[in-house]
Amino acid sequence: MAFTAFMLECAALYFQHVMKLQPCVMCIYERVALLGIIAAGLIGAIAPRNRVIRWVAIITWIYAAWRGLELSWEHTMLQLYPSPFASCDFFVNFPDWLPLQEWVPAVFEASGDCAERQWAFLSLDMPQWLIGIFAAYMLVGIVVAISQFFPSKK
């Protein structure tokens, strides 16, 4: 799970720095949701047999997938139904204690427009693909959470 999210982060950086696509604020927030999936995978890998750590990882996983799904849905709606009354922020808004856009601007600084469609594959734009990706992460996370109540017999 963490590896697939890491590869998606690498793809996002490829789109930004090699293909010169400008990420918007929603794109940056979707990247942070992917980082949440990576963090969940790493937390779970620390001690997979420890019930507390395992549940923290699963809850982080499902929450990050839910937020990513929510963000990519909102981003898709901004692209499909552009309106002067509905737009994303001009600048990313991270907490003062975690100014990622200042610490790593090459990754977390937004310069694009959320309503602009810059890339498509098989007639789906990037946020539309992310809806499916985050939905899959969430579905698998829910299945893993449910499976915790049915321990395997050894």
Side-chain angles (χ1 to χ4, degrees):
M1 168 187 70
F3 179 73
T4 60
F6 175 74
M7 294 309 297
L8 288 168
E9 288 285 355
C10 290
L13 292 173
Y14 175 83
F15 286 128
Q16 178 180 354
H17 296 290
V18 176
M19 294 179 65
K20 302 296 184 195
L21 301 181
Q22 299 302 314
C24 66
V25 171
M26 298 294 288
C27 297
I28 300 301
Y29 292 155
E30 291 158 358
R31 284 184 190 178
V32 173
L34 280 172
L35 288 175
I37 303 271
I38 293 170
L42 297 176
I43 291 168
I46 291 171
R49 295 192 189 276
N50 183 310
R51 184 176 299 218
V52 173
I53 291 176
R54 189 171 59 236
W55 274 106
V56 167
I58 292 169
I59 290 168
T60 303
W61 174 3
I62 294 171
Y63 177 74
W66 170 253
R67 288 294 294 148
L69 182 61
E70 189 176 52
L71 288 163
S72 55
W73 179 263
E74 183 180 342
H75 192 179
T76 297
M77 292 302 109
L78 285 172
Q79 285 187 346
L80 293 179
Y81 308 106
S83 166
F85 304 108
S87 67
C88 63
D89 298 331
F90 292 111
F91 303 103
V92 291
N93 188 18
F94 291 116
D96 291 336
W97 53 271
L98 189 69
L100 295 174
Q101 75 279 11
E102 294 172 15
W103 293 347
V104 192
V107 177
F108 296 106
E109 194 168 66
S111 56
D113 178 13
C114 293
E116 184 181 346
R117 300 166 113 181
Q118 299 184 54
W119 177 89
F121 179 67
L122 298 176
S123 76
L124 295 176
D125 294 323
M126 204 172 300
Q128 292 171 325
W129 280 104
L130 286 173
I131 288 173
I133 290 166
F134 283 119
Y137 278 135
M138 195 163 77
L139 179 64
V140 173
I142 290 169
V143 169
V144 168
I146 291 169
S147 74
Q148 301 304 302
F149 297 107
F150 303 100
S152 62
K153 294 179 180 161
K154 294 182 180 181

